[in-house]
Amino acid sequence: MAIGVYVAASDARSNKGAVALGLIELLFRQVGTVGVYRPVVRAGVEDGLINTARSRFRMELSYEQCAGVTYEDVHADLDQAIADIVAGYREVAARCAAVVVIGTDYTDVGAPTEFEFNAQVAANLGTPVLNVVTGLARTVDEIVAAAEVSAKELAEEHAVQIALVVSRVAPALVERVRTALPDSAYVLPEVPRLSAPTVADLLAACHGRLYLGDEQQLGREVGALMVCAMSLPNILDRLTEGVALIVPADRAAALLPGLIAAHRTPTFPALSAIIMNGGMPLPDSVERLLTGMDIHLPMITTPGDTFETATRLSRAEGRFTPDASGKIDSALGLFAEHVDGPALLARLHVTPATVVTPLMFEYDLLERARADRRHIVLPEGAEPRILRAADILLRRGVADLTLLGEETEIRATAAQLGLAVEDAKVLSPFDPELRERFAAEYAKIRAHKGITLERAWDTVTDVSYFGTMMVHLGLADGMVSGAVHTTAHTIRPSFEIIKTLGAGVVSSVFFMCLADRVLVYGDCAVVPDPTAVQLADIAISSAATAARFGVEPRVALLSYSTGESGAGPEVEKVRAATAMVRERRPDLLVEGPIQYDAAAEPSVARTKMPDSPVAGRATVFVVPDLNTGNNLYKAVQRSAGAVAVGPVLQGLRKPVNDLSRGATVHDIVNTVAITAIQAQGD
């Protein structure tokens, strides 16, 4: 039977969607296949929470499977509606290891109170209830009273409360509320951006269409609304960060060029959107001007008059939709920070899955990094992909960040992209105090190479050297770079400044996330043709990296020959390396030389190496050279559909990792999380 949990709110404006998404992620990391089910949905429009959960967690469920009955069905025949709800839930539960049921949205489903209806449904489904009580505009005593009343209502309907979540509590009251409630209660502070509407919400509210701008920015939160009924100078004086401007179409020609210029100028707050109301077309000359300006700011047109448009927009509420990635990340970060996940899982009697999917591995990276936050420096601070990754990392609480670059440029770029990076520290590589300190240290380290203080003074302003010096001197725990710079540019300073552990070699691994397990491949990116000694170092480092990330190391040193069946220089190199590993680390399970099929496939292993504890069960695959490794990981990635996470550098005294210049935002997030976890072991 699937584990089921019913998320029900005892009143409106509770942000229960944030709690539901956080719960889905918590379960997903443990059991892999989690479904979402909404007992009651609105007719004629797809539910945003269902689609958000399906998209974010890549659920193999159709929308229809996740949606129960409509509000009209409940009004028409309550008993039949509940029977249909139970049948729909059981269909989802049969396909998943866990199901999160998200209760109704306070639209009067026909019971004396809507919470009572949700309690009845939960009792019929046999699912415990995660009770969400809003703390918005309530005192501590009022919150405690609301929690007690809702718990009593659940008990009266024979529903079981598994835990209480009090959401949207004023930050100043969080500790007092936590103290006043039992240990099974979790208190979430109010986060304004979670309840703020997105640009997409405004678009839907005014029945508008996107006229110009970047669809990707429809998910950004809106800070405020402002009707532009004054002259341009007066409007400019009243702009605030993230404001959405309502511009009457007959005034747009006069206002738009100046407003867009202000949005692009670092000395003015960045806008979230411009809504042109009235439905009148722009003059051809103005339209040509705008279309030639490469505008990313969403510009929306709507036929309504100013009063109608402003009224509709003011009523827009923040919703979860698949494209509201910032809101989703904020919700997941909030839940992870304030809810004791292990304790909640224990109450639900969750048994972790034996398989590890790629998505489970990636979510586990974020959680492990968040659990012991470290400080990571990102030298390419103005690069949009880096800024987008920083937005996610900060919202999720994965790491503390320093962005290198000029603060005005970085802040302006982030604001124009609608990214929340205000919690990141921004440092200029020309900061006089740090430049002087770094130059003196670098000159000292490289004096044997003839580096003078004057030369060091220029060198340390290079962002890779500046970031590496931060790590070296303990101003950051790790560094991630390479989205813009070459591999050599990124890691050369590390070899000069941070240096290797002992006399070992710097190498790399890829985490190869297959459908049901994670394997480690090393070295596929750094050492072209390792000696036997270097190969032994790579094997030992790769085993240590695997263990740090939860992969039990069983090491196979690969060759074209298995055991004693072959000879030749390449086979002998692997054989010698295997002997060194056994001598240096007798505790490690290691086999070599061994062919890939004998290392990975139990049936082949039974024939070729029946007595080996590694053959057929290897988790760490060490290749004899870079040519083999690079082709191996790419072949598995493409032919088996594996997700390759890396390369992850190993062998340095402090963690520095290199990105591909084609790295996606997703790649950057994973690499920063990996670097933070590496730093936890320092």
Side-chain angles (χ1 to χ4, degrees):
M1 288 291 293
I3 297 163
V5 188
Y6 198 111
V7 180
S10 58
D11 36 29
R13 303 172 71 191
S14 66
N15 253 343
K16 73 175 179 297
V19 176
L21 291 174
L23 179 60
I24 291 172
E25 184 185 62
L26 177 65
L27 289 167
F28 186 91
R29 291 180 52 242
Q30 297 294 311
V31 300
T33 56
V34 181
V36 63
Y37 186 68
R38 297 215 70 180
V40 187
V41 296
R42 298 178 190 277
V45 57
E46 290 199 349
D47 184 83
L49 263 177
I50 290 177
N51 284 333
T52 298
R54 289 174 61 239
S55 172
R56 183 72 176 209
F57 300 99
R58 305 175 199 172
M59 295 177 179
E60 295 182 357
L61 295 166
S62 68
Y63 176 85
E64 289 72 22
Q65 287 173 313
C66 299
V69 301
T70 67
Y71 287 92
E72 289 77 9
D73 293 331
V74 175
H75 283 293
D77 189 334
L78 178 61
D79 291 338
Q80 183 59 49
I82 291 179
D84 291 342
I85 288 169
V86 173
Y89 168 77
R90 288 178 177 172
E91 181 181 345
V92 174
R95 298 168 58 91
C96 303
V99 182
V100 174
V101 185
I102 308 175
T104 58
D105 290 329
Y106 281 79
T107 322
D108 181 21
V109 296
T113 71
E114 192 150 334
F115 188 65
E116 180 183 323
F117 170 82
N118 283 283
Q120 290 174 2
V121 173
N124 278 279
L125 297 181
T127 55
V129 176
L130 189 62
N131 182 12
V132 184
V133 172
T134 184
L136 187 66
R138 281 176 168 166
T139 66
V140 175
D141 289 342
E142 288 170 339
I143 291 171
V144 171
E148 291 174 349
V149 169
S150 60
K152 183 179 179 181
E153 287 187 66
L154 288 173
E156 288 174 350
E157 297 299 327
H158 309 290
V160 177
Q161 177 174 299
I162 194 73
L164 170 71
V165 175
V166 182
S167 64
R168 307 193 69 178
V169 176
L173 296 180
V174 167
E175 287 305 318
R176 290 177 56 197
V177 173
R178 188 175 286 125
T179 302
L181 294 171
D183 291 341
S184 60
Y186 307 110
V187 182
L188 277 55
E190 167 72 329
V191 177
R193 63 169 60 111
L194 276 177
S195 53
T198 63
V199 176
D201 292 327
L202 299 189
L203 181 69
C206 70
H207 306 298
R209 69 176 180 86
L210 185 64
Y211 171 68
L212 283 175
D214 188 352
E215 281 193 36
Q216 193 174 6
Q217 293 202 36
L218 293 178
R220 70 183 295 177
E221 295 98 351
V222 177
L225 290 171
M226 178 179 173
V227 177
C228 295
M230 294 175 284
S231 64
L232 182 61
N234 286 316
I235 294 171
L236 295 178
D237 286 340
R238 289 166 171 78
L239 294 181
T240 57
E241 195 67 38
V243 66
L245 302 180
I246 303 170
V247 180
D250 59 355
R251 304 194 67 223
L255 295 177
L256 289 180
L259 294 174
I260 293 168
H263 172 69
R264 291 180 166 181
T265 302
T267 52
F268 282 88
L271 310 178
S272 59
I274 294 176
I275 299 99
M276 297 178 290
N277 69 280
M280 288 170 278
L282 294 172
D284 290 343
S285 57
V286 175
E287 187 161 354
R288 287 201 312 273
L289 175 65
L290 296 178
T291 54
M293 292 177 69
D294 189 29
I295 295 171
H296 297 281
L297 175 71
M299 298 180 63
I300 296 167
T301 60
T302 179
D305 61 31
T306 300
F307 179 78
E308 176 189 357
T309 301
T311 301
R312 287 180 178 273
L313 297 181
S314 66
R315 292 174 178 168
E317 296 182 357
R319 301 173 300 129
F320 285 104
T321 57
D323 60 355
S325 56
K327 192 182 292 290
I328 297 166
D329 286 319
S330 294
L332 297 178
L334 181 72
F335 185 91
E337 182 177 357
H338 295 282
V339 174
D340 185 343
L344 184 55
L345 290 171
R347 290 193 194 100
L348 291 168
H349 305 292
V350 175
T351 302
T354 56
V355 301
V356 179
T357 67
L359 204 55
M360 289 172 71
F361 180 73
E362 291 173 1
Y363 278 117
D364 191 57
L365 289 179
L366 300 185
E367 177 58 24
R368 291 184 61 189
R370 191 200 65 78
D372 184 10
R373 281 176 69 156
R374 295 302 167 120
H375 184 176
I376 306 301
V377 58
L378 303 173
E380 299 153 328
E383 160 63 35
R385 287 171 295 161
I386 295 291
L387 288 171
R388 292 188 187 280
D391 175 270
I392 294 169
L393 291 160
L394 292 168
R395 288 177 189 262
R396 298 297 309 272
V398 173
D400 297 320
L401 302 178
T402 290
L403 304 171
L404 297 188
E406 296 308 313
E407 182 157 16
T408 301
E409 178 189 5
I410 289 174
R411 299 292 186 197
T413 302
Q416 289 172 13
L417 294 172
L419 304 175
V421 298
E422 58 271 12
D423 290 336
K425 185 176 182 179
V426 178
L427 271 179
S428 167
F430 293 92
D431 178 277
E433 183 179 339
L434 290 176
R435 184 181 185 184
E436 182 176 353
R437 180 183 176 187
F438 291 175
E441 179 69 12
Y442 182 67
K444 176 182 174 183
I445 293 170
R446 302 294 288 173
H448 67 289
K449 292 293 186 180
I451 299 297
T452 64
L453 184 60
E454 291 75 16
R455 186 172 172 187
W457 180 257
D458 292 330
T459 301
V460 297
T461 59
D462 179 284
V463 290
S464 292
Y465 278 91
F466 194 94
T468 304
M469 289 301 302
M470 287 184 65
V471 176
H472 170 66
L473 293 173
L475 302 178
D477 298 310
M479 183 180 91
V480 173
S481 190
V484 176
H485 297 94
T486 64
T487 295
H489 188 264
T490 297
I491 66 176
R492 183 187 297 115
S494 302
F495 294 160
E496 296 178 5
I497 300 167
I498 293 176
K499 301 181 181 178
T500 61
L501 287 166
V505 63
V506 175
S507 60
S508 72
V509 297
F510 277 92
F511 292 100
M512 301 301 296
C513 303
L514 304 177
D516 58 351
R517 63 193 184 280
V518 177
L519 303 177
V520 177
Y521 288 4
D523 168 24
C524 304
V526 178
V527 186
D529 188 15
T531 65
V533 173
Q534 290 174 324
L535 201 57
D537 284 339
I538 292 169
I540 292 170
S541 294
S542 299
T545 300
R548 176 168 289 183
F549 288 89
V551 178
E552 182 183 353
R554 294 187 290 273
V555 184
L557 280 82
L558 300 179
S559 175
Y560 60 79
S561 173
T562 294
E564 302 298 327
S565 65
E570 295 303 317
V571 177
E572 294 304 325
K573 179 177 79 169
V574 175
R575 187 170 287 127
T578 304
M580 292 178 202
V581 173
R582 285 173 174 156
E583 181 179 352
R584 291 167 55 188
R585 288 290 307 276
D587 57 308
L588 275 182
L589 294 177
V590 60
E591 193 65 75
I594 187 170
Q595 293 162 292
Y596 190 94
D597 60 347
E601 177 53 50
S603 61
V604 178
R606 283 193 292 271
T607 301
K608 293 188 175 184
M609 284 191 137
D611 299 323
S612 170
V614 172
R617 303 173 61 240
T619 56
V620 179
F621 296 79
V622 180
V623 298
D625 54 62
L626 193 57
N627 180 57
T628 302
N630 195 265
N631 281 294
L632 173 64
Y633 99 79
K634 288 180 178 176
V636 173
Q637 181 183 31
R638 299 301 177 186
S639 61
V643 176
V645 179
V648 178
L649 296 184
Q650 53 191 16
L652 289 166
R653 288 191 299 111
K654 294 187 177 182
V656 171
N657 279 306
D658 175 47
L659 299 165
S660 160
R661 276 173 283 177
T664 65
V665 172
H666 185 73
D667 295 333
I668 297 167
V669 169
N670 282 341
T671 303
V672 171
I674 285 170
T675 307
I677 295 169
Q678 287 179 306
Q680 292 170 359
D682 292 344

